[in-house]
Amino acid sequence: MEKKEQARFYITTPIYYVNDTPHIGHAYTTVAADVQARFHRMLGERVFFLTGTDEHGQKVKQAAEQRGLSPQEHADQMVENFQRLWRELLVSNDAFIRTTDPEHQAVVQELLQRLWQRGLIQRRTYKGWYCTPDERFWTEKDLREGACPECGRAVQYIEEDNYFFLMSRFQGPLLEHLRRHPEYIKPSSRLNEVLGFLSRPLGDLCISRPLKRLSWGIPLPFDPQYVTYVWFDALVNYYSALRYLAKDLSFWPADCHVIGKDILTTHAVYWSTMLMALELPLPRLIFAHGWWTVEGRKMSKSLGNVVEPQAVCARYGVDAFRYFLLREIPFGLDGDFSESALVGRINNDLANDLGNLLSRTLGMLRKYCQAVVPERVNSKDREGLEKKVQAFFYTSAGDLPLLENMKLHLKEFKFNEALEHIWAVINGVNKFIDSAQPWRERDEARRGNVLYTALEALRLLALYLAPFMPRKAQEIWDQLGYHKDISRSLFSQEGRWGLLAPGTKAEKGPPLFPRQELPAKAP
Ligand code: MSP
């Protein structure tokens, strides 16, 4: 029989500027991409999950200057904050790209050269407005009350020669692509935004900065008096990483670029037209998520309310933080972070529903079965019990198995809904125990069957939770005495009912999610 080719899945996060330390916004995008990567690995696909840092440009140069360091020294230090945080957040990226990698720089130059030779880059005199913090050019009519329409900050008038990518030529082809593939940009509100942007004539894109104004960038291969515009350099990372990190171009086109809503135009318009000009296929999906506010207010350094992921994890645990990020708000919408909402989720969903299910089941196992997984005693009764619980894994929507439901929801980035389905099963199993009342049961065989059923349901629940909460999912398996590496497991193998072997020692451990008190408010 011919062997079916293993499916591939390539997912990316934005590459983060090293002018700042990572905060909840960076963690959000990266954790969401991580859940997808883990899920697809467990489906048996060959996954390449990429994240990294954006290290060139004005902002990074300024941040370095303020610290009295060279941009490279500054970047070398800052990159560690990101790499450390991703390890702490259990992010399973397959590679980490830095735009200062010589191999990346070589690919950027190669692509620029290709566009130059094809006549798709031209030198022109630019007269207009420039927003230094955003590194964006604006025309007079773009400005809003004389300031940058994007960030509202002051702009400078400049007149200089620069190189332009003839982006305008691709307005028609891009519109055509969007008409044929409306699924290219999600959620659909973001597609409308892009269509709105494209309803006006698309200009050409200035892709150079003169050395005299900015020295920290990749030199243009055809004119060393200029460096490459930081966005052109940065977007190429998605492709260059396959050349020298994955060493496998068959991952192109990417399955998904996960980004925040603020960087939609650069991806949906700049990157898409760059790829068209290079005659490379477009990615399958760009998903732009919403933004977090903090206790109802915009997060900013000046307000002093920046949420630092390390601090949250130190206090509440990584898995709870990951769960909260994806459970609390639908992925495409904006949402609010508050410690009370986080504590509410921990106490209700994690401690009461999930944690308690594990601890009560293992508590009874210790009490009635010396902490040993009981035999499944054959009886009609057993089949009935198991069927009842197995039915929970076939949830309401279309009577699909839980895994199929998760696939549908994760395809649409509906993490919260996938989790709701898992919780419907958790609640179902809790109710099953309430009504079976094993503590009242006199018939030992029946009690054993009830407990076996609950234990096996927990083993399966942990499997489905693993992409979201890898460490706690492993802890559940370990407490069940099922000592396999959950993150390397496949749904197709481990998702079968009945793999927990009778006779296994299953020792109750410390509570999975201790209940949390709300921290006292500072006066
Ligand atoms: N370097 C560029 C991306 C280049 S990709 C080729 C960049 N970097 S960034 O560090 O400023 O931000 C990266 C991501 O963080 C964006 O996706 C942005 O949406 C996200 N967030 C920043 N603040 C955020 C919130 N308050 N909430 C959610 N996400 C936010 O842009």
Short mmCIF file of all heavy atoms in Angstrom, two decimals, residues 13-19 23-26 28-29 54 59 82 231 234-238 258-263 267 289-293 299, ligand 1:
data_model
loop_
_atom_site.label_atom_id
_atom_site.label_comp_id
_atom_site.label_asym_id
_atom_site.label_seq_id
_atom_site.Cartn_x
_atom_site.Cartn_y
_atom_site.Cartn_z
N THR A 13 4.66 33.31 14.65
CA THR A 13 4.24 34.49 15.44
C THR A 13 4.91 35.70 14.77
O THR A 13 5.84 35.51 13.98
CB THR A 13 4.73 34.43 16.90
OG1 THR A 13 6.14 34.69 16.90
CG2 THR A 13 4.44 33.10 17.54
N PRO A 14 4.50 36.91 15.12
CA PRO A 14 5.29 38.04 14.65
C PRO A 14 6.68 37.92 15.28
O PRO A 14 6.84 37.25 16.30
CB PRO A 14 4.58 39.27 15.23
CG PRO A 14 3.25 38.78 15.73
CD PRO A 14 3.40 37.33 16.01
N ILE A 15 7.65 38.58 14.69
CA ILE A 15 8.94 38.63 15.39
C ILE A 15 8.93 39.93 16.19
O ILE A 15 8.54 40.98 15.69
CB ILE A 15 10.13 38.49 14.43
CG1 ILE A 15 10.01 39.42 13.24
CG2 ILE A 15 10.25 37.03 13.97
CD1 ILE A 15 11.25 39.43 12.36
N TYR A 16 9.31 39.83 17.44
CA TYR A 16 9.11 40.94 18.37
C TYR A 16 10.29 41.90 18.38
O TYR A 16 11.44 41.47 18.30
CB TYR A 16 8.84 40.37 19.78
CG TYR A 16 7.66 39.42 19.77
CD1 TYR A 16 7.84 38.04 19.92
CD2 TYR A 16 6.37 39.89 19.55
CE1 TYR A 16 6.76 37.17 19.87
CE2 TYR A 16 5.28 39.03 19.51
CZ TYR A 16 5.48 37.67 19.66
OH TYR A 16 4.43 36.81 19.60
N TYR A 17 9.96 43.18 18.49
CA TYR A 17 11.02 44.19 18.57
C TYR A 17 11.80 44.01 19.86
O TYR A 17 11.19 43.84 20.94
CB TYR A 17 10.41 45.60 18.60
CG TYR A 17 9.86 46.06 17.28
CD1 TYR A 17 8.56 46.54 17.17
CD2 TYR A 17 10.65 46.06 16.13
CE1 TYR A 17 8.06 46.98 15.96
CE2 TYR A 17 10.16 46.50 14.92
CZ TYR A 17 8.86 46.97 14.84
OH TYR A 17 8.36 47.40 13.65
N VAL A 18 13.10 44.16 19.75
CA VAL A 18 13.91 44.02 20.97
C VAL A 18 14.14 45.37 21.66
O VAL A 18 15.08 45.53 22.41
CB VAL A 18 15.28 43.36 20.67
CG1 VAL A 18 15.13 41.88 20.42
CG2 VAL A 18 15.99 44.04 19.51
N ASN A 19 13.23 46.32 21.39
CA ASN A 19 13.38 47.60 22.09
C ASN A 19 12.73 47.55 23.46
O ASN A 19 12.83 48.48 24.24
CB ASN A 19 12.82 48.76 21.26
CG ASN A 19 11.36 48.54 20.92
OD1 ASN A 19 10.90 47.41 20.98
ND2 ASN A 19 10.65 49.58 20.59
N HIS A 23 5.69 41.49 27.20
CA HIS A 23 4.53 41.66 28.08
C HIS A 23 3.41 40.72 27.67
O HIS A 23 3.59 39.88 26.77
CB HIS A 23 4.08 43.12 28.11
CG HIS A 23 3.76 43.69 26.75
ND1 HIS A 23 2.76 43.19 25.96
CD2 HIS A 23 4.33 44.70 26.04
CE1 HIS A 23 2.70 43.87 24.82
NE2 HIS A 23 3.65 44.79 24.85
N ILE A 24 2.25 40.90 28.26
CA ILE A 24 1.13 39.97 28.03
C ILE A 24 0.74 39.88 26.54
O ILE A 24 0.34 38.82 26.06
CB ILE A 24 -0.10 40.35 28.89
CG1 ILE A 24 -1.20 39.30 28.77
CG2 ILE A 24 -0.62 41.72 28.56
CD1 ILE A 24 -2.40 39.55 29.66
N GLY A 25 0.89 41.01 25.80
CA GLY A 25 0.53 41.01 24.39
C GLY A 25 1.40 40.04 23.59
O GLY A 25 0.91 39.25 22.78
N HIS A 26 2.71 40.07 23.88
CA HIS A 26 3.62 39.14 23.19
C HIS A 26 3.29 37.70 23.60
O HIS A 26 3.30 36.79 22.78
CB HIS A 26 5.08 39.43 23.56
CG HIS A 26 5.50 40.85 23.31
ND1 HIS A 26 5.79 41.72 24.34
CD2 HIS A 26 5.65 41.55 22.17
CE1 HIS A 26 6.14 42.89 23.82
NE2 HIS A 26 6.05 42.82 22.51
N TYR A 28 0.53 36.48 24.53
CA TYR A 28 -0.77 36.06 23.98
C TYR A 28 -0.60 35.43 22.59
O TYR A 28 -1.02 34.30 22.36
CB TYR A 28 -1.65 37.31 23.90
CG TYR A 28 -3.09 37.07 23.54
CD1 TYR A 28 -3.81 36.02 24.10
CD2 TYR A 28 -3.75 37.92 22.65
CE1 TYR A 28 -5.15 35.83 23.79
CE2 TYR A 28 -5.09 37.75 22.34
CZ TYR A 28 -5.78 36.71 22.91
OH TYR A 28 -7.11 36.53 22.61
N THR A 29 0.03 36.19 21.69
CA THR A 29 0.22 35.68 20.32
C THR A 29 1.00 34.37 20.35
O THR A 29 0.69 33.42 19.64
CB THR A 29 1.05 36.68 19.47
OG1 THR A 29 0.76 38.01 19.89
CG2 THR A 29 0.76 36.54 18.01
N ASP A 54 12.81 40.93 15.98
CA ASP A 54 12.96 41.93 14.93
C ASP A 54 13.98 42.93 15.48
O ASP A 54 13.68 43.64 16.44
CB ASP A 54 11.57 42.57 14.74
CG ASP A 54 11.48 43.45 13.51
OD1 ASP A 54 12.52 43.70 12.89
OD2 ASP A 54 10.35 43.88 13.20
N LYS A 59 13.76 52.20 16.11
CA LYS A 59 13.33 52.02 17.51
C LYS A 59 14.38 51.27 18.30
O LYS A 59 14.68 51.59 19.44
CB LYS A 59 12.05 51.17 17.55
CG LYS A 59 10.82 51.89 17.15
CD LYS A 59 9.62 51.06 17.61
CE LYS A 59 8.52 51.15 16.58
NZ LYS A 59 7.30 50.50 16.95
N PHE A 82 13.19 37.28 25.74
CA PHE A 82 12.15 36.58 24.99
C PHE A 82 12.38 35.07 25.07
O PHE A 82 11.45 34.30 25.36
CB PHE A 82 12.13 37.05 23.53
CG PHE A 82 11.55 38.43 23.38
CD1 PHE A 82 12.37 39.56 23.43
CD2 PHE A 82 10.18 38.61 23.23
CE1 PHE A 82 11.83 40.84 23.31
CE2 PHE A 82 9.63 39.89 23.11
CZ PHE A 82 10.46 41.01 23.15
N TRP A 231 10.43 46.89 7.99
CA TRP A 231 9.31 45.97 7.75
C TRP A 231 9.59 45.01 6.60
O TRP A 231 9.18 43.85 6.63
CB TRP A 231 8.00 46.73 7.53
CG TRP A 231 7.27 46.95 8.82
CD1 TRP A 231 7.19 48.10 9.54
CD2 TRP A 231 6.52 45.96 9.55
NE1 TRP A 231 6.45 47.90 10.68
CE2 TRP A 231 6.02 46.61 10.71
CE3 TRP A 231 6.23 44.61 9.35
CZ2 TRP A 231 5.24 45.95 11.66
CZ3 TRP A 231 5.46 43.95 10.30
CH2 TRP A 231 4.97 44.62 11.44
N ALA A 234 11.85 42.49 8.11
CA ALA A 234 11.19 41.64 9.11
C ALA A 234 10.26 40.61 8.47
O ALA A 234 10.26 39.44 8.84
CB ALA A 234 10.41 42.51 10.09
N LEU A 235 9.45 41.06 7.51
CA LEU A 235 8.46 40.14 6.93
C LEU A 235 9.13 38.94 6.23
O LEU A 235 8.60 37.83 6.25
CB LEU A 235 7.56 40.90 5.94
CG LEU A 235 6.57 41.86 6.63
CD1 LEU A 235 6.04 42.91 5.65
CD2 LEU A 235 5.41 41.09 7.26
N VAL A 236 10.31 39.20 5.68
CA VAL A 236 11.01 38.12 4.98
C VAL A 236 11.37 36.96 5.92
O VAL A 236 11.58 35.83 5.49
CB VAL A 236 12.27 38.69 4.25
CG1 VAL A 236 13.19 37.59 3.76
CG2 VAL A 236 11.84 39.59 3.10
N ASN A 237 11.36 37.22 7.23
CA ASN A 237 11.75 36.16 8.19
C ASN A 237 10.94 34.88 8.01
O ASN A 237 11.46 33.78 8.19
CB ASN A 237 11.64 36.66 9.63
CG ASN A 237 10.29 36.35 10.27
OD1 ASN A 237 10.07 35.29 10.83
ND2 ASN A 237 9.34 37.28 10.13
N TYR A 238 9.66 35.04 7.66
CA TYR A 238 8.79 33.87 7.55
C TYR A 238 9.28 32.91 6.48
O TYR A 238 9.03 31.71 6.53
CB TYR A 238 7.36 34.31 7.21
CG TYR A 238 6.73 35.23 8.24
CD1 TYR A 238 6.05 36.39 7.85
CD2 TYR A 238 6.77 34.93 9.60
CE1 TYR A 238 5.45 37.23 8.78
CE2 TYR A 238 6.18 35.76 10.53
CZ TYR A 238 5.52 36.91 10.12
OH TYR A 238 4.93 37.73 11.05
N VAL A 258 0.08 34.17 12.73
CA VAL A 258 -0.74 34.72 13.82
C VAL A 258 -0.15 36.10 14.15
O VAL A 258 1.05 36.21 14.41
CB VAL A 258 -0.70 33.85 15.09
CG1 VAL A 258 -1.72 34.34 16.11
CG2 VAL A 258 -0.95 32.40 14.76
N ILE A 259 -1.00 37.11 14.15
CA ILE A 259 -0.53 38.48 14.43
C ILE A 259 -1.57 39.22 15.27
O ILE A 259 -2.69 38.74 15.44
CB ILE A 259 -0.31 39.27 13.11
CG1 ILE A 259 -1.62 39.34 12.31
CG2 ILE A 259 0.79 38.66 12.28
CD1 ILE A 259 -1.59 40.35 11.17
N GLY A 260 -1.19 40.42 15.74
CA GLY A 260 -2.15 41.28 16.41
C GLY A 260 -2.77 42.23 15.40
O GLY A 260 -2.21 42.45 14.32
N LYS A 261 -3.92 42.78 15.75
CA LYS A 261 -4.68 43.58 14.79
C LYS A 261 -3.92 44.83 14.32
O LYS A 261 -4.20 45.35 13.24
CB LYS A 261 -6.03 43.99 15.39
CG LYS A 261 -5.90 44.88 16.61
CD LYS A 261 -7.27 45.27 17.16
CE LYS A 261 -7.11 46.23 18.33
NZ LYS A 261 -8.40 46.66 18.89
N ASP A 262 -2.96 45.30 15.12
CA ASP A 262 -2.23 46.52 14.76
C ASP A 262 -1.27 46.32 13.59
O ASP A 262 -0.83 47.29 12.99
CB ASP A 262 -1.45 47.02 15.98
CG ASP A 262 -0.56 45.94 16.56
OD1 ASP A 262 -1.02 44.79 16.69
OD2 ASP A 262 0.62 46.22 16.87
N ILE A 263 -0.93 45.07 13.30
CA ILE A 263 0.04 44.87 12.22
C ILE A 263 -0.59 44.10 11.05
O ILE A 263 0.06 43.34 10.35
CB ILE A 263 1.34 44.19 12.72
CG1 ILE A 263 1.05 42.89 13.49
CG2 ILE A 263 2.12 45.15 13.61
CD1 ILE A 263 2.33 42.16 13.92
N HIS A 267 1.06 42.91 7.04
CA HIS A 267 1.02 41.50 6.62
C HIS A 267 0.10 41.30 5.41
O HIS A 267 0.48 40.69 4.42
CB HIS A 267 0.58 40.61 7.77
CG HIS A 267 1.67 40.38 8.76
ND1 HIS A 267 2.04 41.32 9.69
CD2 HIS A 267 2.51 39.32 8.95
CE1 HIS A 267 3.05 40.85 10.41
NE2 HIS A 267 3.35 39.64 9.99
N HIS A 289 -5.47 38.83 15.94
CA HIS A 289 -6.21 38.78 17.20
C HIS A 289 -6.39 40.19 17.78
O HIS A 289 -5.80 41.16 17.30
CB HIS A 289 -5.51 37.87 18.21
CG HIS A 289 -4.15 38.36 18.63
ND1 HIS A 289 -3.98 39.49 19.40
CD2 HIS A 289 -2.92 37.86 18.39
CE1 HIS A 289 -2.68 39.66 19.60
NE2 HIS A 289 -2.02 38.69 19.00
N GLY A 290 -7.20 40.25 18.84
CA GLY A 290 -7.50 41.53 19.47
C GLY A 290 -6.44 41.94 20.49
O GLY A 290 -5.42 41.27 20.66
N TRP A 291 -6.71 43.01 21.17
CA TRP A 291 -5.77 43.55 22.14
C TRP A 291 -6.30 43.44 23.55
O TRP A 291 -7.50 43.52 23.78
CB TRP A 291 -5.47 45.02 21.81
CG TRP A 291 -4.27 45.12 20.94
CD1 TRP A 291 -4.01 44.34 19.84
CD2 TRP A 291 -3.17 46.02 21.08
NE1 TRP A 291 -2.80 44.70 19.31
CE2 TRP A 291 -2.27 45.73 20.04
CE3 TRP A 291 -2.87 47.04 21.98
CZ2 TRP A 291 -1.08 46.41 19.88
CZ3 TRP A 291 -1.68 47.73 21.81
CH2 TRP A 291 -0.79 47.42 20.77
N TRP A 292 -5.37 43.31 24.50
CA TRP A 292 -5.72 43.28 25.92
C TRP A 292 -5.64 44.69 26.51
O TRP A 292 -4.66 45.40 26.26
CB TRP A 292 -4.73 42.40 26.69
CG TRP A 292 -4.91 40.94 26.45
CD1 TRP A 292 -4.28 40.20 25.50
CD2 TRP A 292 -5.78 40.05 27.15
NE1 TRP A 292 -4.69 38.90 25.57
CE2 TRP A 292 -5.62 38.78 26.58
CE3 TRP A 292 -6.68 40.20 28.21
CZ2 TRP A 292 -6.32 37.67 27.02
CZ3 TRP A 292 -7.37 39.09 28.65
CH2 TRP A 292 -7.20 37.83 28.06
N THR A 293 -6.65 45.02 27.27
CA THR A 293 -6.52 46.18 28.15
C THR A 293 -6.29 45.60 29.55
O THR A 293 -6.42 44.38 29.75
CB THR A 293 -7.81 47.02 28.17
OG1 THR A 293 -8.91 46.13 28.41
CG2 THR A 293 -8.02 47.73 26.84
N MET A 299 -3.00 49.39 28.22
CA MET A 299 -1.78 49.01 28.93
C MET A 299 -0.64 49.93 28.46
O MET A 299 -0.42 50.08 27.25
CB MET A 299 -1.44 47.56 28.58
CG MET A 299 -0.25 47.02 29.32
SD MET A 299 -0.13 45.23 29.11
CE MET A 299 0.36 45.11 27.41
N1 MSP B 1 8.28 43.70 14.99
C1 MSP B 1 6.91 43.87 14.66
C2 MSP B 1 6.35 42.63 14.00
C3 MSP B 1 7.07 42.16 12.78
S1 MSP B 1 6.40 40.70 12.15
C4 MSP B 1 7.16 40.44 10.68
C5 MSP B 1 6.08 44.20 15.91
N2 MSP B 1 6.62 43.84 17.08
S2 MSP B 1 6.01 44.17 18.50
O1 MSP B 1 6.96 43.65 19.44
O2 MSP B 1 5.72 45.55 18.61
O3 MSP B 1 4.62 43.52 18.70
C6 MSP B 1 4.28 42.28 18.33
C7 MSP B 1 2.91 41.78 18.71
O4 MSP B 1 2.50 42.09 20.04
C8 MSP B 1 1.83 42.29 17.78
O5 MSP B 1 1.18 41.17 17.22
C9 MSP B 1 0.91 43.06 18.68
O6 MSP B 1 -0.41 42.96 18.27
C10 MSP B 1 1.11 42.37 20.01
N3 MSP B 1 0.67 43.23 21.09
C11 MSP B 1 1.28 44.33 21.60
N4 MSP B 1 0.50 44.84 22.60
C12 MSP B 1 -0.62 44.09 22.74
C13 MSP B 1 -1.72 44.08 23.64
N5 MSP B 1 -1.90 45.00 24.55
N6 MSP B 1 -2.61 43.05 23.52
C14 MSP B 1 -2.44 42.04 22.61
N7 MSP B 1 -1.41 42.03 21.77
C15 MSP B 1 -0.57 43.11 21.70
O7 MSP B 1 5.01 44.72 15.79
#
